């Protein structure tokens, strides 16, 4: 794809934008306005005797030409200034369209008979058609979707092109106004001078230019682009009308009128837009190239960002006046007072919108941070940090000795009985409650919009809920979780339906452990020493199971049952159970070494299918596992020697070569018709 094609794709887009509503009606009216002059020309030529009469009045011609040329020069200079300000190649080329046509139009007027020359001249006849032809070439180039490279090349040669146009105009004026110097200042041939088919080429170029401008208008609707389209179309009609001779007939006057209408139409559109916007800075921005429009939009975005940032700083400082930023933006972006005021109001609205979005986002984040398991201090610290980003200097105080201290202010329980919040000193204080009882307070700066008070109250409510949840969870941590496995507790908290009676068939690894000689030890020592011994053993055994992902589902006297791969899934549950068992034996041996009379752990492990779920009654239930795999684990534990770990064949098969074992052969276990292969686990790589 060429650079021009790429520029065209970016400027026009694949899906052109068509303004809704009355666009077809406007197009019809526009077409009728352009068709009326052509119908008039046809009538003049079709009925030459009655309509196409002769009216020769050089003064009227001269002053008409001078007036329109003046309008044209003003427009050309304004567009040229806009081109220089925006560094835009299209605006520069459009300015040359107006300046070149104005120059040739003025020379045509100066060549009017009796002004400088006594009689008509060849230059008088063809001056304006030549000027229209030059302007047609510039109009066509200006309507093309110029690539960045082409636009840069045009701007790099801008001074050269202006100088060239001036030289051409000076040379043409010298040649056509100095009598006897060149054929241009001589009388025209009989019947008048003409440039023939060249006029039709110029008219065609104007038509193409208007069509290309229409494509830009579809993508970027603008009254100024419409006026430029109209001007190109009228210039094209004037070029075609200039073909018909002789001079001073109504058909000859018509193309003068068309030229006048073309330039006056653009001037009037510029005036209306100036009245609407109050400034000439952006009159022709819509005509610029797409890259220039994007750059202008970026500048306005920058202005709004600067304005919003300034408003936020002023709000934080408690200042009211915004005059400095308005003055700075007006100077930086060349805005008048009205535009600066509009931008100031827009900035205030945008700042308020952003503050609202930021505070809503803070509410969402505070709710998201209040997750299960997060400590109260961490919860409040995270919520405070996030709230300060959106609300400013937010403070939180908790109840201590019946009072809430926030800075130098103290609040009691009775302070919030009759009111929902307490305002004063530029801040609003909202209560934080836990189960309807005052637990703290939230201090928020007074907002600038009517939504701020409601948002602050919502934030306080959100923090109250989070604080209550954190404290309830802490109670669960100290009570609920100490009476069951963390995995079971977490599953029930996430999905209470899992507490329903029933279960599912799962492959798991069951670990049974008990103390060999516990009965005889219990007969010898008092009950208090029994409890102390059990607690010491379980204190070191439980972390070994939990650290390896196991779930302890039963404590029965000196025995415990742990499951791996239920309820929490594990990829290598057999190996994890074996590692937990070896760690348990190592930790238990350290206790037994210092207490020679203590019984010692023996452990049995087996892997297989089991029914896992809640077993019991609607009034009381427990999480457990049932099945042959669990029964075999219990039997292997009963055959194990103190201080050893016995595993079944399925467990060893799943662990693989990492298990260092001593075979026990095929064992006949109680309640089993078939023998079970068993091994003593000595180590695990």
């Amino acid at each position: 794809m060429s650079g021009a094609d790429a520029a065209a794709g970016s400027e026009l887009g694949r899906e052109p934008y068509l303004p809704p509503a009355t666009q077809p009606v406007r197009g019809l009216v526009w077409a009728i306005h352009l068709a009326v002059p052509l119908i008039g020309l046809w009538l003049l030529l079709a009925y030459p005797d009655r309509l196409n009469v002769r009216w020769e009045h050089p003064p009227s011609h001269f002053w008409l030409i001078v007036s329109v040329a003046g309008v044209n020069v003003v427009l050309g200079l304004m567009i040229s200034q806009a081109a220089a300000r925006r560094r835009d190649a299209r605006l520069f080329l459009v300015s040359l369209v107006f300046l070149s046509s104005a120059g040739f139009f003025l020379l045509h007027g100066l060549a009017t008979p009796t002004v400088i020359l006594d009689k008509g001249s060849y230059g008088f006849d063809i001056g304006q058609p030549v000027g229209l032809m030059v302007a047609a070439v510039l109009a066509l180039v200006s309507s093309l979707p110029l690539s960045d490279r082409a636009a840069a090349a045009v701007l790099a040669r801008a001074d050269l092109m202006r100088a060239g146009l001036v030289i051409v105009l000076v040379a043409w004026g010298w040649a056509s106004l100095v009598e006897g110097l060149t054929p241009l200042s001589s009388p025209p041939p009989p019947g008048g001078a003409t440039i023939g088919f060249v006029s039709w080429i110029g008219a065609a170029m104007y038509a193409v230019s208007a069509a290309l401008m229409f494509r830009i208008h579809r993508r970027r609707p603008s009254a100024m682009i419409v006026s430029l389209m109209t001007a190109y179309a009228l210039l094209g009609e004037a070029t075609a009308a200039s073909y018909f001779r002789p001079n001073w007939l109504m058909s000859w006057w018509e193309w003068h009128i068309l030229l006048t209408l073309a330039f006056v139409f653009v001037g009037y559109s510029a005036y209306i837009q100036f009245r609407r916007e109050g400034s000439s800075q952006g009159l022709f921005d819509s005509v610029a190239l797409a890259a220039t429009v994007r750059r202008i939009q970026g500048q306005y975005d920058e202005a709004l960002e600067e304005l919003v940032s300034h408003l936020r700083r002023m709000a934080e400082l408690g200042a009211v006046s915004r005059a400095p930023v308005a003055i700075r933006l007006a100077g930086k972006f060349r805005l008048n007072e009205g535009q600066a005021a509009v931008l100031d109001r827009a900035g205030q609205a945008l700042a308020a919108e952003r503050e609202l979005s930021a505070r809503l986002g803070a509410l969402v984040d505070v709710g998201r941070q209040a997750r299960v398991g997060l400590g109260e201090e961490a919860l409040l610290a995270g919520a405070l940090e996030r709230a300060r980003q959106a609300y400013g200097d937010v403070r939180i105080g908790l109840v201590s000795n019946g009072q809430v201290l926030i800075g130098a202010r103290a609040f009691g329980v009775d302070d919030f009985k009759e009111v929902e919040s307490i305002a004063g000193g530029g801040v609003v204080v909202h209560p934080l409650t836990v189960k309807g009882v005052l637990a703290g307070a939230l201090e928020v700066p007074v907002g600038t919009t009517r939504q701020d008070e409601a948002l602050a109250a919502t934030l306080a409510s959100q923090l109250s809920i989070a604080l209550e949840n954190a404290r309830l969870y802490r109670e669960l941590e100290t009570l609920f979780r100490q009476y069951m496995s963390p995995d079971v507790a977490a599953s029930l908290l996430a999905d209470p339906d899992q507490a329903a009676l029933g279960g599912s068939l799962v492959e798991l690894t069951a670990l049974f452990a008990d103390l060999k000689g516990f009965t005889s030890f219990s007969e010898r020592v008092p009950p208090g020493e029994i409890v102390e011994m059990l607690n010491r053993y379980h204190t070191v055994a439980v972390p070994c199971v939990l650290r390896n992902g196991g779930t302890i589902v039963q404590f029965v006297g000196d025995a415990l049952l742990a499951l791996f791969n239920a309820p929490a899934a594990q990829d290598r549950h057999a190996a994890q159970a074996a590692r937990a068992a070896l760690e348990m034996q190592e930790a238990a041996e350290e206790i037994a070494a210092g207490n020679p009379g203590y019984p010692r752990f023996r452990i049995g492990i087996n892997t297989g299918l089991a029914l896992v779920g809640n077993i019991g009654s609607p009034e009381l239930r427990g999480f457990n596992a049932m099945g042959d795999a669990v029964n075999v684990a219990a039997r292997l534990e009963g055959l194990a020697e103190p201080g050893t770990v016995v595993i079944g064949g399925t467990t060893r098969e799943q662990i693989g070569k990492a298990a260092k074992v001593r075979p026990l052969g095929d064992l006949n276990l109680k309640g089993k018709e078939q023998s079970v292969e068993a091994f003593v686990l000595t180590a695990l790589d």
Side-chain angles (χ1 to χ4, degrees):
M1 178 183 291
S2 67
D5 292 338
S10 63
E11 184 168 356
L12 301 177
R14 295 183 178 178
E15 295 296 334
Y17 170 76
L18 279 175
T22 60
Q23 184 69 9
V25 176
R26 292 179 181 177
L28 179 61
V29 173
W30 182 77
I32 292 174
H33 286 170
L34 294 181
V36 168
L38 295 178
I39 296 173
L41 178 63
W42 175 78
L43 290 174
L44 291 173
L45 297 176
Y47 302 95
D49 296 334
R50 286 182 294 171
L51 298 179
N52 198 19
V53 297
R54 180 182 180 85
W55 183 61
E56 184 174 354
H57 195 269
S60 299
H61 177 268
F62 173 75
W63 289 113
L64 172 67
I65 297 302
V66 171
S67 300
V68 176
V71 172
N72 230 14
V73 169
V74 172
L75 286 172
L77 292 177
M78 291 178 62
I79 300 175
S80 180
Q81 290 178 354
R85 184 170 58 251
R86 301 303 190 191
R87 294 291 300 165
D88 186 83
R90 174 176 289 153
L91 288 176
F92 169 71
L93 292 172
V94 172
S95 71
L96 291 187
V97 173
F98 284 84
L99 291 175
S100 62
S101 58
F104 277 98
F105 208 29
L106 179 61
L107 293 176
H108 173 69
L110 293 175
T112 303
T114 71
V115 175
I116 295 178
L117 300 176
D118 294 333
K119 298 180 180 181
S121 66
Y122 198 75
F124 174 71
D125 283 9
I126 68 170
Q128 188 53 33
V130 170
L132 287 172
M133 189 65 189
V134 173
V137 174
L138 294 170
L140 180 61
V141 177
S142 72
S143 304
L144 295 174
L146 300 177
S147 65
D148 293 340
R149 177 180 296 181
V154 170
L155 292 176
R157 296 165 177 80
D159 292 338
L160 183 62
M161 295 173 69
R162 287 194 190 97
L165 177 60
V166 172
I167 292 172
V168 170
L169 290 175
V170 171
W172 186 273
W174 184 267
S176 61
L177 297 177
V178 178
E179 191 172 359
L181 183 63
T182 66
L184 290 176
S185 60
S186 302
T194 179
I195 56 175
F197 70 94
V198 177
S199 299
W200 298 105
I201 296 176
M205 285 193 289
Y206 280 120
V208 173
S209 302
L212 292 175
M213 279 294 175
F214 176 67
R215 294 185 66 192
I216 298 174
H217 172 69
R218 295 189 69 188
R219 182 61 179 170
R220 195 194 311 153
S222 165
M224 185 54 65
I225 295 180
V226 172
S227 68
L228 201 58
M229 289 163 44
T230 306
Y232 285 172
L234 291 174
L235 289 176
E237 294 182 4
T239 305
S242 66
Y243 173 78
F244 299 99
R245 298 294 174 180
N247 297 339
W248 305 108
L249 297 178
M250 288 295 105
S251 57
W252 179 82
W253 280 100
E254 181 173 3
W255 65 263
H256 292 76
I257 301 300
L258 288 173
L259 284 173
T260 303
L261 291 176
F263 301 133
V264 170
F265 190 88
V266 176
Y268 179 74
S269 298
Y271 171 74
I272 292 299
Q273 190 166 340
F274 173 81
R275 289 287 301 274
R276 184 186 304 121
E277 298 183 3
S279 171
S280 61
Q281 299 298 322
L283 291 182
F284 306 100
D285 287 349
S286 59
V287 184
L289 293 169
T292 304
V293 173
R294 288 193 296 269
R295 188 170 67 248
I296 294 171
Q297 291 174 345
Q299 291 174 349
Y300 282 118
D301 291 342
E302 178 187 348
L304 283 176
E305 287 293 338
E306 183 175 345
L307 180 59
V308 171
S309 299
H310 178 81
L311 291 175
R312 285 180 173 175
R313 291 193 299 269
M314 298 296 286
E316 292 173 0
L317 297 175
V320 177
S321 174
R322 287 179 291 275
V325 70
I327 295 174
R328 184 168 63 253
L329 289 176
K332 182 175 182 180
F333 297 97
R334 300 182 180 181
L335 306 177
N336 58 28
E337 293 183 3
Q339 290 173 323
V342 170
L343 188 61
D344 196 15
R345 290 194 297 270
Q348 294 180 49
L350 182 58
E353 184 70 20
R354 289 195 170 187
E355 287 181 359
L356 178 62
S357 299
R359 292 176 180 183
L360 289 173
L363 287 177
V364 174
D365 290 342
V366 168
R368 187 183 297 114
Q369 290 175 3
R371 60 183 182 275
V372 172
L374 190 64
E376 181 178 316
E377 292 184 1
L379 170 69
L380 293 178
L384 189 60
E385 179 182 2
R386 183 65 184 88
R388 282 177 174 171
Q389 295 174 4
Y391 290 84
D393 187 17
V394 177
R395 300 182 183 183
I396 296 176
L398 298 180
V399 170
S400 177
N401 297 323
Q403 282 190 326
V404 179
L405 294 177
I406 301 181
R409 304 176 67 183
F411 301 93
V413 176
D414 296 335
D415 292 335
F416 294 98
K417 282 187 176 180
E418 303 295 334
V419 296
E420 296 181 354
S421 62
I422 300 175
V427 297
V428 180
V429 180
H430 297 269
L432 303 179
T433 60
V434 172
K435 292 187 177 297
V437 179
L438 183 69
L442 171 72
E443 181 184 276
V444 182
V446 175
T448 57
T449 66
R450 59 178 179 272
Q451 294 93 351
D452 289 326
E453 184 177 351
L455 289 175
T458 304
L459 177 63
S461 176
Q462 187 85 340
L463 284 174
S464 296
I465 295 172
L467 183 62
E468 183 172 336
N469 288 342
R471 292 185 176 180
L472 290 175
Y473 184 78
R474 187 173 61 191
E475 294 179 13
L476 289 174
E477 191 73 27
T478 57
L479 298 173
F480 183 51
R481 284 180 175 271
Q482 291 180 355
Y483 282 87
M484 64 174 57
S485 164
D487 288 330
V488 176
S491 297
L492 291 177
L493 286 173
D495 183 7
D497 290 341
Q498 293 189 19
L501 294 174
S504 58
L505 199 62
V506 178
E507 183 188 68
L508 53 75
T509 298
L511 182 153
F512 264 103
D514 78 344
L515 294 170
K516 178 66 174 178
F518 174 75
T519 303
S520 59
F521 176 80
S522 301
E523 293 175 351
R524 299 194 310 268
V525 299
E529 189 173 343
I530 298 173
V531 173
E532 180 184 357
M533 181 270 298
L534 288 175
N535 288 340
R536 292 185 65 184
Y537 272 131
H538 290 324
T539 297
V540 298
V542 168
C544 296
V545 174
L546 300 180
R547 188 165 52 246
N548 288 281
T551 298
I552 298 176
V553 296
Q554 281 187 7
F555 284 106
V556 181
D558 62 320
L560 66 84
L561 168 61
L563 304 178
F564 293 80
N565 202 41
Q570 292 174 274
D571 292 335
R572 295 172 51 81
H573 51 89
Q576 294 293 92
R579 183 173 290 107
L582 293 176
E583 291 177 2
M584 286 173 59
Q585 290 292 25
E586 183 179 355
E589 283 299 319
E590 294 180 2
I591 296 175
N595 300 276
Y598 274 17
R600 299 170 65 195
F601 265 127
R602 55 182 180 178
I603 302 175
I605 300 175
N606 190 50
T607 303
L609 294 175
L611 185 65
V612 179
N614 297 292
I615 301 171
S617 69
E619 293 79 16
L620 184 64
R621 68 198 71 181
F623 185 83
N624 213 325
M626 297 186 301
D628 184 64
V630 180
N631 295 335
V632 170
R635 298 290 183 265
L636 293 177
E637 175 262 327
L639 295 175
E641 294 296 326
T644 65
V645 178
V646 177
I647 63 175
T650 54
T651 302
R652 181 185 182 278
E653 183 179 349
Q654 287 206 12
I655 299 175
K657 297 180 179 179
K660 307 302 180 184
V661 297
R662 185 177 73 250
L664 294 178
D666 293 337
L667 303 180
N668 293 318
L669 303 180
K670 181 179 179 181
K672 291 284 292 182
E673 295 182 358
Q674 297 181 350
S675 60
V676 175
E677 188 178 17
F679 304 86
V680 176
L681 179 66
T682 59
L684 191 67
D685 290 341

